[in-house]
Short mmCIF file of all heavy atoms in Angstrom, two decimals:
data_model
loop_
_atom_site.label_atom_id
_atom_site.label_comp_id
_atom_site.label_asym_id
_atom_site.label_seq_id
_atom_site.Cartn_x
_atom_site.Cartn_y
_atom_site.Cartn_z
N GLU F 20 121.02 88.97 125.14
CA GLU F 20 120.70 89.23 123.82
C GLU F 20 119.30 89.39 123.52
O GLU F 20 118.91 89.17 122.42
CB GLU F 20 121.23 88.06 122.96
CG GLU F 20 122.77 87.93 122.96
CD GLU F 20 123.27 86.81 121.91
OE1 GLU F 20 122.68 85.83 121.76
OE2 GLU F 20 124.32 87.26 121.28
N GLN F 21 118.61 89.98 124.41
CA GLN F 21 117.09 90.31 124.24
C GLN F 21 116.84 91.24 122.99
O GLN F 21 116.17 91.03 122.24
CB GLN F 21 116.53 90.89 125.42
CG GLN F 21 116.43 89.88 126.58
CD GLN F 21 115.85 90.53 127.91
OE1 GLN F 21 115.85 91.78 127.99
NE2 GLN F 21 115.35 89.70 128.78
N VAL F 22 117.65 92.44 123.03
CA VAL F 22 117.38 93.29 121.93
C VAL F 22 117.92 92.77 120.63
O VAL F 22 117.17 92.84 119.57
CB VAL F 22 118.31 94.63 122.19
CG1 VAL F 22 118.28 95.61 120.99
CG2 VAL F 22 117.70 95.45 123.41
N TYR F 23 118.93 92.09 120.62
CA TYR F 23 119.51 91.39 119.40
C TYR F 23 118.42 90.42 118.85
O TYR F 23 118.05 90.42 117.70
CB TYR F 23 120.77 90.59 119.60
CG TYR F 23 121.21 89.70 118.57
CD1 TYR F 23 121.77 90.18 117.35
CD2 TYR F 23 121.10 88.29 118.69
CE1 TYR F 23 122.23 89.41 116.38
CE2 TYR F 23 121.44 87.48 117.57
CZ TYR F 23 122.05 87.95 116.55
OH TYR F 23 122.53 87.14 115.49
N ASP F 24 117.79 89.58 119.65
CA ASP F 24 116.73 88.66 119.16
C ASP F 24 115.59 89.42 118.59
O ASP F 24 115.02 88.99 117.53
CB ASP F 24 116.25 87.76 120.34
CG ASP F 24 117.27 86.71 120.57
OD1 ASP F 24 118.06 86.48 119.76
OD2 ASP F 24 117.21 85.99 121.64
N LEU F 25 115.22 90.47 119.17
CA LEU F 25 114.10 91.36 118.59
C LEU F 25 114.38 91.92 117.30
O LEU F 25 113.43 91.94 116.47
CB LEU F 25 113.63 92.41 119.71
CG LEU F 25 113.07 91.85 120.94
CD1 LEU F 25 112.67 93.16 121.88
CD2 LEU F 25 111.82 91.11 120.80
N VAL F 26 115.53 92.56 117.19
CA VAL F 26 115.87 93.21 115.98
C VAL F 26 116.48 92.46 114.87
O VAL F 26 116.29 92.94 113.65
CB VAL F 26 116.77 94.58 116.33
CG1 VAL F 26 116.12 95.27 117.35
CG2 VAL F 26 118.14 94.09 116.66
N TYR F 27 117.17 91.45 115.07
CA TYR F 27 117.89 90.66 114.08
C TYR F 27 117.01 89.59 113.28
O TYR F 27 117.09 89.67 112.15
CB TYR F 27 119.11 89.99 114.76
CG TYR F 27 119.92 89.24 113.62
CD1 TYR F 27 120.98 89.99 112.95
CD2 TYR F 27 119.78 88.02 113.18
CE1 TYR F 27 121.67 89.43 111.93
CE2 TYR F 27 120.31 87.44 112.12
CZ TYR F 27 121.35 88.15 111.52
OH TYR F 27 122.09 87.60 110.37
N HIS F 28 116.26 88.88 114.00
CA HIS F 28 115.60 87.81 113.44
C HIS F 28 114.24 88.21 112.71
O HIS F 28 113.76 87.38 111.95
CB HIS F 28 115.25 86.74 114.55
CG HIS F 28 116.39 86.16 115.23
ND1 HIS F 28 117.35 85.36 114.51
CD2 HIS F 28 116.82 86.33 116.41
CE1 HIS F 28 118.21 84.93 115.44
NE2 HIS F 28 117.95 85.62 116.65
N VAL F 29 113.80 89.38 112.86
CA VAL F 29 112.46 89.79 112.32
C VAL F 29 112.58 91.11 111.56
O VAL F 29 113.13 92.04 111.98
CB VAL F 29 111.46 89.97 113.46
CG1 VAL F 29 110.19 90.43 113.05
CG2 VAL F 29 111.45 88.78 114.44
N GLN F 30 111.97 90.91 110.31
CA GLN F 30 111.75 92.07 109.47
C GLN F 30 110.30 92.44 109.42
O GLN F 30 109.53 91.45 109.21
CB GLN F 30 112.27 91.82 108.12
CG GLN F 30 113.89 91.80 107.94
CD GLN F 30 114.30 91.23 106.70
OE1 GLN F 30 114.09 90.02 106.45
NE2 GLN F 30 114.82 92.03 105.76
N ILE F 31 109.97 93.59 109.77
CA ILE F 31 108.52 94.03 109.87
C ILE F 31 107.77 94.00 108.59
O ILE F 31 108.28 94.48 107.49
CB ILE F 31 108.47 95.39 110.52
CG1 ILE F 31 109.21 95.35 111.89
CG2 ILE F 31 107.00 95.66 110.87
CD1 ILE F 31 108.89 94.32 112.83
N LEU F 32 106.55 93.41 108.66
CA LEU F 32 105.82 93.18 107.39
C LEU F 32 104.41 94.06 107.66
O LEU F 32 103.96 94.48 108.69
CB LEU F 32 105.29 91.73 107.34
CG LEU F 32 106.35 90.70 107.23
CD1 LEU F 32 105.73 89.34 107.54
CD2 LEU F 32 106.90 90.86 105.86
N PRO F 33 103.91 94.42 106.42
CA PRO F 33 102.60 95.52 106.48
C PRO F 33 101.43 94.53 106.70
O PRO F 33 100.90 93.84 105.99
CB PRO F 33 102.69 95.88 104.97
CG PRO F 33 103.29 94.76 104.15
CD PRO F 33 104.43 94.26 105.04
N ALA F 34 100.87 94.81 107.93
CA ALA F 34 99.66 94.09 108.39
C ALA F 34 98.46 94.47 107.43
O ALA F 34 97.72 93.68 107.17
CB ALA F 34 99.42 94.47 109.82
N HIS F 35 98.39 95.56 107.03
CA HIS F 35 97.25 96.15 106.23
C HIS F 35 97.20 95.35 104.97
O HIS F 35 96.03 95.39 104.25
CB HIS F 35 97.22 97.73 106.11
CG HIS F 35 98.26 98.16 105.17
ND1 HIS F 35 99.62 98.15 105.50
CD2 HIS F 35 98.13 98.65 103.79
CE1 HIS F 35 100.33 98.75 104.44
NE2 HIS F 35 99.51 99.07 103.53
N LEU F 36 98.33 94.72 104.40
CA LEU F 36 98.34 94.14 103.17
C LEU F 36 98.26 92.55 103.43
O LEU F 36 97.92 91.92 102.39
CB LEU F 36 99.47 94.56 102.42
CG LEU F 36 99.59 95.93 101.90
CD1 LEU F 36 100.86 96.23 101.23
CD2 LEU F 36 98.42 96.37 100.97
N LEU F 37 98.69 92.08 104.50
CA LEU F 37 98.93 90.67 104.71
C LEU F 37 97.99 89.98 105.64
O LEU F 37 97.79 88.75 105.61
CB LEU F 37 100.29 90.39 105.13
CG LEU F 37 101.50 90.79 104.06
CD1 LEU F 37 102.76 90.32 104.66
CD2 LEU F 37 101.29 90.21 102.78
N ASP F 38 97.26 90.79 106.48
CA ASP F 38 96.45 90.08 107.46
C ASP F 38 95.13 89.41 106.96
O ASP F 38 94.60 88.57 107.64
CB ASP F 38 96.03 90.99 108.53
CG ASP F 38 95.15 92.22 108.13
OD1 ASP F 38 94.92 92.21 106.89
OD2 ASP F 38 94.84 93.07 108.86
N THR F 39 94.89 89.56 105.75
CA THR F 39 93.75 88.82 105.08
C THR F 39 94.15 87.65 104.14
O THR F 39 93.41 86.94 103.65
CB THR F 39 92.83 89.83 104.25
OG1 THR F 39 93.68 90.33 103.12
CG2 THR F 39 92.20 90.79 105.15
N ILE F 40 95.66 87.52 104.04
CA ILE F 40 96.09 86.41 103.19
C ILE F 40 96.60 85.21 104.06
O ILE F 40 97.50 85.45 104.81
CB ILE F 40 97.26 86.89 102.29
CG1 ILE F 40 96.76 88.24 101.57
CG2 ILE F 40 97.80 85.82 101.43
CD1 ILE F 40 97.97 88.82 100.66
N PRO F 41 95.92 84.08 103.97
CA PRO F 41 96.54 82.95 104.67
C PRO F 41 97.89 82.67 104.27
O PRO F 41 98.28 82.76 103.07
CB PRO F 41 95.56 81.75 104.22
CG PRO F 41 94.38 82.40 103.66
CD PRO F 41 94.77 83.84 103.15
N HIS F 42 98.75 82.35 105.31
CA HIS F 42 100.17 82.20 104.94
C HIS F 42 100.39 81.14 103.86
O HIS F 42 101.37 81.34 103.11
CB HIS F 42 100.97 81.74 106.21
CG HIS F 42 102.42 81.89 106.02
ND1 HIS F 42 103.18 80.78 105.73
CD2 HIS F 42 103.26 82.95 105.98
CE1 HIS F 42 104.50 81.18 105.45
NE2 HIS F 42 104.62 82.40 105.75
N GLU F 43 99.65 80.05 103.83
CA GLU F 43 99.75 79.12 102.71
C GLU F 43 99.65 79.54 101.35
O GLU F 43 100.07 78.99 100.39
CB GLU F 43 99.05 77.87 103.16
CG GLU F 43 97.48 78.02 103.10
CD GLU F 43 96.92 78.46 104.41
OE1 GLU F 43 97.78 78.91 105.32
OE2 GLU F 43 95.80 78.32 104.71
N ARG F 44 98.91 80.64 101.25
CA ARG F 44 98.65 81.25 99.99
C ARG F 44 99.55 82.47 99.59
O ARG F 44 99.49 83.11 98.58
CB ARG F 44 97.09 81.74 99.85
CG ARG F 44 96.18 80.54 99.99
CD ARG F 44 94.74 81.11 99.77
NE ARG F 44 93.79 79.94 100.07
CZ ARG F 44 92.43 80.14 100.17
NH1 ARG F 44 91.99 81.38 100.00
NH2 ARG F 44 91.78 79.05 100.37
N LEU F 45 100.38 82.89 100.66
CA LEU F 45 101.10 83.98 100.42
C LEU F 45 102.23 83.94 99.22
O LEU F 45 102.33 84.93 98.47
CB LEU F 45 101.96 84.39 101.73
CG LEU F 45 102.86 85.61 101.70
CD1 LEU F 45 102.08 86.85 101.42
CD2 LEU F 45 103.60 85.71 103.00
N GLY F 46 102.92 82.75 99.06
CA GLY F 46 103.78 82.58 97.99
C GLY F 46 103.09 82.87 96.55
O GLY F 46 103.90 83.16 95.68
N SER F 47 101.85 82.65 96.47
CA SER F 47 101.17 82.81 95.17
C SER F 47 100.42 84.04 95.06
O SER F 47 99.64 84.29 94.09
CB SER F 47 100.28 81.56 94.88
OG SER F 47 99.34 81.44 95.85
N SER F 48 100.46 84.94 96.07
CA SER F 48 99.67 86.07 96.14
C SER F 48 100.28 87.31 95.18
O SER F 48 101.48 87.17 94.84
CB SER F 48 99.53 86.64 97.59
OG SER F 48 100.81 86.98 97.95
N ALA F 49 99.42 88.25 94.95
CA ALA F 49 99.96 89.52 94.20
C ALA F 49 101.04 90.09 94.99
O ALA F 49 102.02 90.70 94.36
CB ALA F 49 98.78 90.36 94.00
N PHE F 50 100.98 90.11 96.36
CA PHE F 50 102.02 90.69 97.16
C PHE F 50 103.39 90.09 96.88
O PHE F 50 104.33 90.83 96.88
CB PHE F 50 101.61 90.60 98.65
CG PHE F 50 102.62 91.29 99.58
CD1 PHE F 50 102.55 92.58 99.94
CD2 PHE F 50 103.73 90.57 100.16
CE1 PHE F 50 103.40 93.17 100.77
CE2 PHE F 50 104.56 91.17 101.00
CZ PHE F 50 104.42 92.43 101.30
N ALA F 51 103.39 88.67 96.80
CA ALA F 51 104.58 88.12 96.58
C ALA F 51 105.23 88.41 95.17
O ALA F 51 106.41 88.39 95.00
CB ALA F 51 104.40 86.52 96.65
N GLN F 52 104.42 88.81 94.29
CA GLN F 52 104.90 89.14 92.96
C GLN F 52 105.45 90.55 92.82
O GLN F 52 106.35 90.84 92.11
CB GLN F 52 103.76 89.04 91.87
CG GLN F 52 103.17 87.56 91.81
CD GLN F 52 104.17 86.47 91.62
OE1 GLN F 52 105.03 86.57 90.70
NE2 GLN F 52 104.16 85.52 92.52
N ALA F 53 104.96 91.44 93.79
CA ALA F 53 105.65 92.87 93.90
C ALA F 53 105.47 93.23 95.26
O ALA F 53 104.54 93.96 95.62
CB ALA F 53 104.68 93.69 92.95
N PRO F 54 106.38 92.77 96.05
CA PRO F 54 106.42 93.09 97.48
C PRO F 54 106.36 94.52 97.78
O PRO F 54 107.05 95.39 97.16
CB PRO F 54 107.65 92.37 97.99
CG PRO F 54 107.96 91.42 96.98
CD PRO F 54 107.65 91.95 95.61
#
């Protein structure tokens, strides 16, 4: 189930918008309000 694990469990995120936001602040970020 190698392919399954790669494609099922993960939805790809935009690095250019999220790599500067600490994960603990993501829920209150502008991105979370309008993904």
Side-chain angles (χ1 to χ4, degrees):
E20 293 188 319
Q21 289 176 342
V22 173
Y23 171 74
D24 281 346
L25 295 180
V26 306
Y27 184 86
H28 300 292
V29 177
Q30 289 166 288
I31 306 304
L32 298 167
H35 70 288
L36 297 175
L37 298 182
D38 60 359
T39 59
I40 304 176
H42 189 265
E43 61 271 17
R44 298 180 184 175
L45 180 56
S47 59
S48 67
F50 181 89
Q52 303 306 310

